[in-house]
Amino acid sequence: MDSKPRLVPSLSTSDVYPNLETTCSGKYYFYDALHGRLRASQESREFKDLLQPRSLYSALPSSVDSLLNKTIISSHHLSKADSAEFDGHIWITFVPPAPSMVLKIYLARHGQDEDNAAGILNGHRNQPLTKLGEEQAETVAARIQAQKLTFDAVYSSPLKRTHRTAEILACGKPVETMDLLIERDFGVMSGVPIKKIKERCTPNLLQTDTITYFLSPEGGETFPDVLKRGELVLAEIRKRYGGNGDACILLVTHGDFGKMLYAAYYKLDWVQVLKQFHFGNSEVLLLSEDSSPEEAHVIQIDQQNS
């Protein structure tokens, strides 16, 4: 009798045992070639190893592999003594995947500063946090502690508003300055009241639900410029911590630069990112290989300004 396993490459997810995702851990499954179905069994049987571990993995249809999202640790065809009853069945043992070992970058914006409160475009201006800004950072620090997040390193833009925010969020961890995290250079728009943006910058504007962005300020950075700087930050962080597997890093930065760093990480169009969401004071984004762009906004708080 033929002892080789028989697989049907066109097996679809609708053919898969319906409760597979919730029941597969530590149980045995076989592919029923007669009925074209992957079936489960509560029974434990003695098997004869006829195939090397993972040798059937490459033969499994990709739709099954995708649905399971599991790691196959061993694959067995039934021994000859059982083959009459189970001819064509392929038995596979599944276990949940090991915890993911990925670099996680938490990206926080500073709390409200004096320019924010006064409706002034700050850019590289170096104003301190307001009392509300301190409270916002403390609120987020409490959430970080509640989620039991710990950081391997904390980096801040060189400006006062980010460094003070970083000190609060770091919960005692030393804060290192990274000059590349500084806000976009607003050029001639630095220190200008927000209400003057349209008057000064039309037609080079991008209007969103919450912010009017000026796109090419004289003497300042464009968003493509800032996006490139974001790529440099990511390259530096990966160089320092990419080999650490599960390193967790906190970067405390600014609204415009933070969104471009997010765009650079997920390789998104910067125009769409500006329209996509508001990155408010003291809010936190997660940049991680196991977190989608849509899931990045992990901590949000009530906002009182842009």
Side-chain angles (χ1 to χ4, degrees):
M1 183 176 295
D2 184 9
S3 63
K4 292 182 179 180
R6 297 200 294 267
L7 290 173
V8 179
S10 62
L11 181 67
S12 68
T13 53
S14 62
D15 294 319
V16 176
Y17 184 77
N19 296 320
L20 200 56
E21 289 185 272
T22 57
T23 63
C24 69
S25 177
K27 298 180 182 178
Y28 294 97
Y29 291 81
F30 62 90
Y31 177 67
D32 186 341
L34 180 62
H35 299 96
R37 182 178 292 274
L38 197 65
R39 297 186 180 277
S41 172
Q42 300 283 354
E43 301 176 23
S44 175
R45 296 174 179 269
E46 294 296 325
F47 300 112
K48 179 180 178 182
D49 290 344
L50 299 179
L51 298 166
Q52 293 297 318
R54 297 185 64 85
S55 58
L56 288 183
Y57 185 59
S58 60
L60 280 173
S62 60
S63 56
V64 176
D65 178 34
S66 175
L67 177 68
L68 291 175
N69 191 24
K70 304 294 175 184
T71 302
I72 296 178
I73 57 170
S74 61
S75 302
H76 308 269
H77 189 273
L78 287 174
S79 65
K80 209 164 191 179
D82 292 324
S83 61
E85 182 181 355
F86 296 99
D87 183 32
H89 294 173
I90 299 170
W91 291 77
I92 307 167
T93 304
F94 293 94
V95 294
S100 58
M101 301 287 283
V102 297
L103 172 63
K104 295 182 183 295
I105 301 172
Y106 285 87
L107 184 62
R109 184 186 173 193
H110 61 81
Q112 183 194 68
D113 77 341
E114 291 180 356
D115 278 342
N116 293 150
I120 300 296
L121 294 168
N122 45 23
H124 288 186
R125 283 164 58 90
N126 202 10
Q127 301 301 309
L129 295 182
T130 62
K131 183 176 184 296
L132 174 62
E134 296 256 352
E135 292 171 352
Q136 289 172 329
E138 288 166 0
T139 296
V140 172
R143 294 193 189 180
I144 288 172
Q145 290 179 312
Q147 294 178 25
K148 301 188 186 310
L149 286 177
T150 57
F151 303 112
D152 296 291
V154 179
Y155 293 93
S156 167
S157 150
L159 300 180
K160 293 177 183 177
R161 59 189 184 270
T162 47
H163 197 273
R164 177 57 185 148
T165 301
E167 287 178 334
I168 296 171
L169 300 186
C171 302
K173 190 81 177 179
V175 177
E176 299 181 53
T177 297
M178 181 180 286
D179 290 343
L180 285 171
L181 292 174
I182 198 168
E183 177 61 300
R184 175 192 180 199
D185 187 346
F186 289 178
V188 298
M189 294 303 290
S190 297
V192 173
I194 291 173
K195 62 185 179 182
K196 296 283 189 180
I197 292 176
K198 290 185 179 180
E199 176 186 323
R200 298 275 191 101
C201 298
T202 300
N204 295 317
L205 299 173
L206 177 63
Q207 183 68 55
T208 72
D209 292 340
T210 54
I211 296 180
T212 301
Y213 290 102
F214 48 92
L215 302 180
S216 52
E218 182 182 343
E221 289 178 294
T222 65
F223 282 103
D225 292 336
V226 181
L227 184 68
K228 290 177 182 177
R229 184 152 54 86
E231 292 170 348
L232 293 177
V233 169
L234 292 173
E236 182 62 25
I237 294 298
R238 286 166 176 151
K239 177 182 176 182
R240 296 185 189 186
Y241 300 100
N244 290 7
D246 58 347
C248 187
I249 310 301
L250 174 64
L251 307 180
V252 185
T253 185
H254 306 264
D256 285 4
F257 182 73
K259 295 190 80 169
M260 292 303 97
L261 192 55
Y262 164 89
Y265 185 90
Y266 287 111
K267 303 187 186 310
L268 302 174
D269 177 70
W270 65 265
V271 174
Q272 294 306 312
V273 167
L274 292 180
K275 296 177 179 179
Q276 185 178 343
F277 63 90
H278 178 55
F279 188 23
N281 289 127
S282 286
E283 294 188 334
V284 180
L285 306 178
L286 170 60
L287 312 181
S288 174
E289 291 179 6
D290 60 1
S291 177
S292 72
E294 295 77 18
E295 300 171 318
H297 217 149
V298 292
I299 298 180
Q300 296 176 268
I301 62 173
D302 292 336
Q303 298 294 312
Q304 297 190 27
N305 54 262
S306 299

